[in-house]
Amino acid sequence: MTGMTLRRGRGFSLLELMLVLALAMLVTGWALPSLDDFLQGVRVNTTVKHYLGMLESTRYRSMSEQRPATICATAADGITCARDGGTGLVIFEDRDEDGVVDATEKVVLEERLVDGGGYWLAWRSFQNRPYLRWALGRTDSMNGTYTLCNREGKDKLLRQLVVNRTGRTRIVVPARSAASVLQSARQACGW
């Protein structure tokens, strides 16, 4: 057989195929938990930025209409203000300035938390009110903080919306802040 070469069929053996599949499963199993953490972080950041927009909208509403507007974390019924365990936010015209949604007061906007069972809002203010009322762009209740809590107790998913008396709002990531800020956020969540 001179001049002739024996050609081998191109393809993978069963052993090679099983090795590649096992390696792919190992890499996928390793990557999925970090992908889930990444997606949870994106959801939390999106929710907090949306709520920041709601706070700014409430502030703007009070300035443009020249009357008080109130925002609060809501209880399960969607209209009762709650200090802890809030499942969303509600903006309403607070004509009698009592921080309670009455039958005669118009609910402007109500938003529920995505996956409300896994996340909740806790509100803390210096005057211990369950709501935040804006009057002409300033708050009535001094400083306050909305903390977005999570059922897993993950510090890296904690977010806070801190509102000062002049109406400026900022987002705080407690896990990246001073230890006292993280401890305060944990306490607000009841951890």
Side-chain angles (χ1 to χ4, degrees), residues 103-139:
T104 60
E105 295 173 334
K106 178 182 169 189
V107 173
V108 176
L109 180 64
E110 187 229 338
E111 289 286 333
R112 306 297 256 165
L113 278 169
V114 177
D115 184 24
Y119 296 93
W120 70 93
L121 287 165
W123 166 250
R124 297 290 181 269
S125 71
F126 288 116
Q127 291 187 358
N128 209 21
R129 296 178 181 166
Y131 58 89
L132 177 63
R133 185 173 49 241
W134 302 87
L136 305 176
R138 297 174 60 90
T139 69

Side-chain angles (χ1 to χ4, degrees), residues 35 38 43 53 60 64 113 156 162:
L35 178 62
F38 173 75
R43 262 185 252 125
Y60 176 75
S64 65
L113 278 169
K156 63 184 174 185
V162 180

Side-chain angles (χ1 to χ4, degrees), residues 10-61:
R10 293 184 177 207
F12 299 105
S13 70
L14 184 57
L15 181 63
E16 291 170 330
L17 186 59
M18 287 176 54
L19 184 62
V20 167
L21 286 175
L23 187 60
M25 287 176 28
L26 184 66
V27 168
T28 302
W30 175 73
L32 278 179
S34 40
L35 178 62
D36 185 49
D37 286 349
F38 173 75
L39 291 175
Q40 281 182 335
V42 167
R43 262 185 252 125
V44 166
N45 287 335
T46 302
T47 300
V48 166
K49 287 177 183 175
H50 179 70
Y51 283 168
L52 175 65
M54 288 181 69
L55 285 168
E56 293 297 326
S57 174
T58 308
R59 180 181 183 208
Y60 176 75
R61 182 177 206 68

Side-chain angles (χ1 to χ4, degrees), residues 36 40 43-44 113-121 148-155 157-158 189-191:
D36 185 49
Q40 281 182 335
R43 262 185 252 125
V44 166
L113 278 169
V114 177
D115 184 24
Y119 296 93
W120 70 93
L121 287 165
L148 182 63
C149 307
N150 61 83
R151 75 171 164 249
E152 290 96 12
K154 293 182 178 178
D155 288 340
L157 293 179
L158 285 172
C189 294
W191 300 346

